[in-house]
Amino acid sequence: ISSSIPRDMEPAVPSGNLEKLVKGNTSFGINLFQAVKQGNENLIFSPYSISVALAMAQAGARAETLQQINDVLSFSLPFEDLHPAINALQLELNNRENSDYEEDKKDFELNIVNSIWGEKTYTFMPEYLDLLAENYGAGLRLVDFMNQPDASRKEINQWVSDQTNDRIQDLLPENSITNLTRL
């Protein structure tokens, strides 16, 4: 399902909102690092990628779930300001990869892709789909979580692998998707 609303390529976002977003994402990244580190092993992850994925889910959340996501991700911006700020930040990051931002950058590649996957029998609110399209450039991909959870998981994993040039494989482990999954 794709929304008819195109992505806002120049969202009007005050610079203070970008600073709050980056500060919250940094806090989330540090907290996540502390939670998943093990001893002195090397660890690399992208808190930005994780927070964007969860922000897309947050856009459809309400009540306690919405508050829990905001708390974990350290989102301090109001709902109506958060998603345009993420859009502006993502566009800024994309512009850096496509410009001569650093004269000495070599072999620099930045691919930011977003996708959301939903149960094909579930009804998603048009406002949610519009927000995803406008702020994330993402449509909803429909899969059969209810009847084919593992096939859906494999399809998502293949998409992620394709989008990351095989750098991320098997993002979703076995049994991470069940017939109760909706998004």
Side-chain angles (χ1 to χ4, degrees):
I1 295 177
S2 294
S3 172
S4 60
I5 295 181
R7 182 166 188 195
D8 187 350
M9 297 305 281
E10 293 186 31
V13 175
S15 63
N17 285 3
L18 284 178
E19 290 171 14
K20 286 180 183 176
L21 177 64
V22 170
K23 182 178 179 183
N25 195 58
T26 300
S27 177
F28 166 69
I30 291 168
N31 291 338
L32 181 59
F33 176 79
Q34 294 299 327
V36 299
K37 72 175 183 170
Q38 296 181 354
N40 291 327
E41 292 182 17
N42 290 333
L43 173 67
I44 186 167
F45 65 95
S46 171
Y48 176 75
S49 295
I50 296 166
S51 65
V52 168
L54 290 173
M56 291 171 70
Q58 182 262 20
R62 299 294 179 264
E64 185 178 345
T65 303
L66 175 63
Q67 188 58 51
Q68 289 173 339
I69 292 172
N70 287 343
D71 289 347
V72 167
L73 295 176
S74 300
F75 287 156
S76 62
L77 291 172
F79 187 89
E80 63 275 3
D81 294 337
L82 174 66
H83 302 286
I86 292 172
N87 184 7
L89 180 58
Q90 183 164 324
L91 292 170
E92 173 63 27
L93 291 171
N94 284 337
N95 286 339
R96 287 184 181 188
E97 196 272 336
N98 295 325
S99 71
D100 294 327
Y101 185 74
E102 296 177 29
E103 288 181 24
D104 63 346
K105 73 178 183 181
K106 292 184 178 142
D107 300 322
F108 175 79
E109 182 179 339
L110 176 65
N111 293 320
I112 300 173
V113 294
N114 301 305
S115 183
I116 197 116
W117 301 71
E119 165 55 40
K120 69 179 187 174
T121 62
Y122 190 80
T123 302
F124 293 91
M125 295 173 56
E127 298 84 11
Y128 175 64
L129 300 176
D130 290 345
L131 187 143
L132 292 177
E134 183 176 347
N135 293 292
Y136 298 91
L140 177 68
R141 296 169 185 266
L142 298 176
V143 289
D144 191 359
F145 289 138
M146 290 179 70
N147 297 306
Q148 298 182 343
D150 198 55
S152 299
R153 178 188 69 83
K154 289 177 181 175
E155 183 178 350
I156 294 167
N157 280 343
Q158 186 60 55
W159 184 87
V160 170
S161 180
D162 291 346
Q163 297 302 311
T164 62
N165 296 318
D166 297 322
R167 289 185 181 105
I168 300 174
Q169 298 180 10
D170 299 322
L171 176 68
L172 301 173
E174 285 189 40
N175 301 316
S176 61
I177 303 259
T178 71
N179 61 356
L180 298 176
T181 302
R182 295 296 174 264
L183 184 66

